[in-house]
Amino acid sequence: MRILVIGGGGREHTLAWKLAMSPCVEKVYCIPGNPGISKVAECVEIDISDNQALLEFAQSNKIGLTVVGPELPLANGIVDVFTAKGLKIFGPTQAAAEIEGSKAFAKALMKKYNIPTASFEVFTDADKAREYIRNQGAPLVVKADGLAAGKGVVVAMTIEEAIGAVDMIMRDQTFGLAGSRVVIEEYLTGEEASLLAFTDGFTIVPMVSAQDHKCIYDGDKGSNTGGMGTYAPAPIITKAMLEQIQLEVLQPAVDAMRAEGRLYCGCLYAGLMITDSGPKVIEFNARFGDPETQVVLPLLSSDLATVMEACIDGKLSDIEVKWDDNAAVCVVLAAGGYPGGYAKGDVITGIENAEEVGALVFHAGTAIKDNAIVTSGGRVLGVTATAKDILSAVKKAYNAVQEIKFTDMHYRRDIAHRAIKKLNN
Ligand code: AMP
Ligand code: GLY
């Protein structure tokens, strides 16, 4: 079978790498891909927001399974377009992807179906939002309703900050139409974790739990980023907690989507806060996490293409999805200045040496210039290691990081610190 992966970051590199191992896969294509992906797939330059061009590519290249990485093509209805032509594609339809695309929709769904989440109000009127903030007091969390590339959330510790966030989102329209509605919600405390699940719309099969590190600096300080590193499994998700999340969050969510006539098939990502009163949903995403995928898929021992096909065919309950007992750690190497402005085009050295010491180096923001691999994004590489336990995986990943160099490269030195602290207690 021929496979097409849509996207060109670290998540898609991991998907393409895993799918390329599948015994039933003859060839992997990736649109647009990146230099790392080109080692395992043929990369093709097509605009991923052009549904018609993607469809024509899949038809003329006899693609047997398409896997969508980022949220944008899902929100654009790529799954609807492929399915209408009888092509197999892994991911939710446009209507189902709204669980990520509209926070107001996701919150209303959770409220209606009793899925635990922070209490909230939705506003389309900025004055009413400001008044609510003054009455409610801080801390509060202010979120743009629509897709805002992970930047539409302000955790406000004061009333002034919360009002500033409303002004930025609604008055200044910093995120365009995504900000015509805001969700203002209760500030939750606890430890965060990500739990991704395969689903065919009926059955859910959770993946190994993971924890992202969203802040730019060690000790979870500084600005929010797309994610500076991950590890899996997350010890905060004990076996009992996993069962509780399946029962209270994941199963009710896919049942709710089905009941609403929006059958959800694909990967459902629950971003959770594990509070003193149990797990609460911070957000749902309609896709694999980035960089969660970089630590979750290396631990999957089953064949990924088979699992994805079972989801599409509504037969997930017929198969067994198996995981390794190992742990995985991914350290993101970022360009100087990220998450603000950053340079591009700096030569990267040492990737092969890092691979030789046993790491998987997933490319996120790289390009080829004059035959050299150079930086081309804020998050440049995800250096991933698997080992028998978290401590060994951390050591192996950071050993590999030492091999890689580019101008102003920076990274967090404390990935997995929460898991390590738990070991020491
Ligand atoms: P989101 O884009 O919804 O994942 O939010 C980004 C980050 O904001 C999350 O990873 C949390 O750290 C934080 N956050 C979002 N909602 C809440 C909340 N209700 N309480 C506390 N922190 C939150
Ligand atoms: N790691 C966060 C996300 O993929 O949304």
Side-chain angles (χ1 to χ4, degrees), residues 11 71 100 150 194 212-214 225-227 230 269 283 285 287-293 379:
R11 163 183 51 208
E71 58 271 31
E100 170 168 4
S194 308
D212 194 0
H213 299 65
K214 290 206 170 144
T225 71
T230 37
Y269 167 137
E283 62 169 351
N285 290 322
R287 50 170 177 81
F288 284 91
D290 190 345
E292 283 89 344
T293 308
R379 291 188 295 170

Side-chain angles (χ1 to χ4, degrees), residues 293-312:
T293 308
Q294 287 86 319
V295 288
V296 168
L297 291 186
L299 300 178
L300 176 67
S301 44
S302 298
D303 174 46
L304 181 59
T306 305
V307 178
M308 289 177 159
E309 282 197 293
C311 290
I312 296 167

Side-chain angles (χ1 to χ4, degrees), residues 103 118 141 143 150-153 155 185-189 192 214 224 273 282-283:
K103 291 190 192 292
V141 183
K143 302 184 174 184
K151 298 201 175 90
V153 174
V155 177
E185 61 180 49
E186 168 200 4
Y187 172 74
L188 298 172
T189 52
E192 281 182 60
K214 290 206 170 144
N224 211 30
M273 186 73 86
I282 293 177
E283 62 169 351

Side-chain angles (χ1 to χ4, degrees), residues 243-315:
E243 280 166 16
Q244 194 178 349
I245 297 166
Q246 275 183 255
L247 211 68
E248 294 179 8
V249 174
L250 294 171
Q251 192 65 55
V254 299
D255 292 345
M257 291 299 277
R258 212 172 53 246
E260 294 291 314
R262 300 176 190 241
L263 184 97
Y264 190 101
C265 176
C267 170
L268 179 65
Y269 167 137
L272 302 157
M273 186 73 86
I274 310 304
T275 72
D276 288 343
S277 56
K280 294 198 175 171
V281 176
I282 293 177
E283 62 169 351
F284 282 119
N285 290 322
R287 50 170 177 81
F288 284 91
D290 190 345
E292 283 89 344
T293 308
Q294 287 86 319
V295 288
V296 168
L297 291 186
L299 300 178
L300 176 67
S301 44
S302 298
D303 174 46
L304 181 59
T306 305
V307 178
M308 289 177 159
E309 282 197 293
C311 290
I312 296 167
D313 297 339
K315 292 187 172 148

